[in-house]
Amino acid sequence: MVDRREFLVACAALGIVPRSAFSQPPTTTVSAPANAWSQFRGSYALTGVSATTIAPAPKLAWAWEGGEAFDSSPAIVDEMVYAGTATGELIAVGLADGKLRWRYKAGEAIGESSPAVGDGRAFIGDLLGVFHAVSVADGKPLWTFKTQSEIKSSPVIVGDIVLVGSYDGRLYGLDAATGKQRWAYQTENYVHGTPCVVNGVAHFAGCDEVFHAVDVKTGKERFATSATAYTGASVALVNNVAYFGTFDNQVLALDLGSRKVLWRYEHPDRKFPFYSSAAVSDGTVVLGGRDRMIHALDAKTGKVRWTHMTRARIDSSPAIAGGRVYAGSNDGRFYALDVATGKVVWQHDEGAALSASPALASGRIVIGSTEGRLLCFA
């Protein structure tokens, strides 16, 4: 159990992860490059921001028919799209043409765990609790690692270590080449969110209502403090402030230096949990709520800038590029809104819930639906 007497103890000086052979952005990067979206939320900081340029009115370029739901959000690397399916397959399709290159059978099903891709490997977890490493060249298995419960957390590659959380309550650090366990960090409940990695430290708000900071190289706790509530969302980290929503119907800004909550946002009338992970860009925090609304907040004050009402809950985590925020809703629509005003500038009516999150790269948007269609807009 976490020693709460140590919550207010200042953490040691932050370590820096050594430069590695993995083609990943540095750990201080807060946005994804224009041509890649290599993991859930695009970058180590989990801000959901891409440097790519999307057409003002994108058209559906292709739709790959998978037959079963996509809860897993895609990754895009080297003009290939990787995503997990409810049938337990990791698939690779061409970004340009939507044609299947290979499919790898994982476990019985893949849930919300989304692939991370680097150094010729794709990593993903399944609902049987098995973590898989697959060759991106041909979809052949490289190794597997068994946890003690289902995996819904998405992996993160940091140098020669890959991180993944499990519903067995642990965050694991595994050797990316061999799958050998380097360390396991124990919490008091599920590890659902994806760890946000900055300066060699993994940060996540757990289902144990604790915000954890863990050294990536050693698995040792840097600090732990109250997350105030049960948290399923991943945290976005900008300028040493973590932004995340909770099941207590609030969005928080947590200063990691002081371990103090800078602000809390709660809609005055609609009291629903926040499961969507926040996107953060140019002083604006944007996330979806189970109240059917997209919320845009001032990053400094937490005051609402705008909201947009959809027709169903929003578990999809929004992505931002070029001053627009892209978000799916369970109402079957995919929205593009102006980040500054909240005005809908484009939308696509898919007719099936979009609970997975979009990936943005090379001028394209890719998102999967609960009816088994992987969609690409350009």
Side-chain angles (χ1 to χ4, degrees):
M1 183 175 180
V2 175
D3 186 357
R4 295 181 181 272
R5 294 173 298 177
E6 297 180 358
F7 281 177
L8 298 180
V9 177
C11 64
L14 297 177
I16 303 295
V17 174
R19 189 178 302 221
S20 75
F22 283 89
S23 56
Q24 296 292 316
T27 55
T28 52
T29 297
V30 297
S31 66
N35 64 347
W37 189 274
S38 62
Q39 64 163 73
F40 182 63
R41 310 303 291 134
S43 71
Y44 284 121
L46 305 188
T47 57
V49 178
S50 173
T52 196
T53 299
I54 305 295
K59 305 295 185 183
L60 183 64
W62 52 259
W64 187 81
E65 302 286 347
E68 293 288 342
F70 284 97
D71 293 319
S72 173
S73 302
I76 304 172
V77 175
D78 294 333
E79 302 302 303
M80 294 290 292
V81 178
Y82 304 87
T85 73
T87 56
E89 291 184 323
L90 175 64
I91 62 164
V93 301
L95 178 62
D97 57 18
K99 292 183 178 180
L100 182 71
R101 300 300 197 269
W102 52 255
R103 61 206 316 163
Y104 164 80
K105 180 62 177 175
E108 186 174 297
I110 292 173
E112 295 164 48
S113 183
S114 302
V117 180
D119 199 34
R121 306 179 184 101
F123 301 93
I124 198 165
D126 67 33
L127 295 182
L128 295 178
V130 180
F131 188 62
H132 303 260
V134 180
S135 170
V136 299
D138 53 16
K140 301 295 185 183
L142 297 174
W143 53 259
T144 59
F145 178 84
K146 183 74 169 69
T147 72
Q148 297 178 29
S149 190
E150 63 188 7
I151 298 174
K152 293 186 176 181
S153 176
S154 300
V156 178
I157 308 166
V158 188
D160 60 355
I161 294 176
V162 59
L163 308 178
V164 68
S166 170
Y167 268 44
D168 65 13
R170 296 178 178 90
L171 177 69
Y172 291 91
L174 307 177
D175 186 285
T178 66
K180 181 180 179 181
Q181 181 178 311
R182 298 271 191 92
W183 51 260
Y185 173 79
Q186 181 71 56
T187 74
E188 294 300 309
N189 208 329
Y190 310 137
V191 178
H192 181 92
T194 298
C196 166
V197 179
V198 175
N199 291 335
V201 180
H203 308 81
F204 63 100
C207 297
D208 56 1
E209 304 184 11
V210 175
F211 187 97
H212 302 270
V214 181
D215 187 281
V216 169
K217 290 191 292 185
T218 66
K220 300 296 185 182
E221 182 177 285
R222 288 295 189 90
F223 69 86
T225 191
S226 175
T228 75
Y230 185 102
T231 305
S234 302
V235 306
L237 186 55
V238 178
N239 295 329
N240 214 38
V241 177
Y243 301 93
F244 57 97
T246 75
F247 271 70
D248 200 26
N249 313 329
Q250 295 183 334
V251 182
L252 275 64
L254 176 67
D255 182 86
L256 300 191
S258 64
R259 319 282 195 269
K260 292 182 178 179
V261 175
L262 300 179
W263 52 255
R264 303 168 190 257
Y265 164 79
E266 184 172 357
H267 193 275
D269 302 314
R270 301 179 64 79
K271 311 299 184 184
F272 289 85
F274 289 93
Y275 191 66
S276 166
S277 298
V280 184
S281 177
D282 296 328
T284 303
V285 180
V286 186
L287 74 171
R290 289 190 165 175
D291 58 0
R292 301 183 291 163
M293 300 172 73
I294 301 171
H295 303 252
L297 313 174
D298 185 286
K300 289 185 178 180
T301 66
K303 295 190 179 299
V304 64
R305 289 185 169 174
W306 52 261
T307 60
H308 175 74
M309 178 70 75
T310 71
R311 300 180 183 181
R313 74 184 192 183
I314 303 170
D315 286 344
S316 176
S317 300
I320 294 175
R324 291 184 172 187
V325 56
Y326 300 90
S329 170
N330 279 22
D331 68 5
R333 292 174 173 84
F334 187 54
Y335 296 90
L337 301 94
D338 185 275
V339 172
T341 66
K343 178 183 177 182
V344 175
V345 293
W346 171 85
Q347 70 178 34
H348 167 80
D349 190 353
E350 176 63 14
L354 299 166
S355 58
S357 304
L360 280 56
S362 300
R364 296 185 172 230
I365 310 166
V366 183
I367 188 172
S369 79
T370 57
E371 294 295 323
R373 285 190 3 130
L374 189 64
L375 311 169
C376 177
F377 301 93

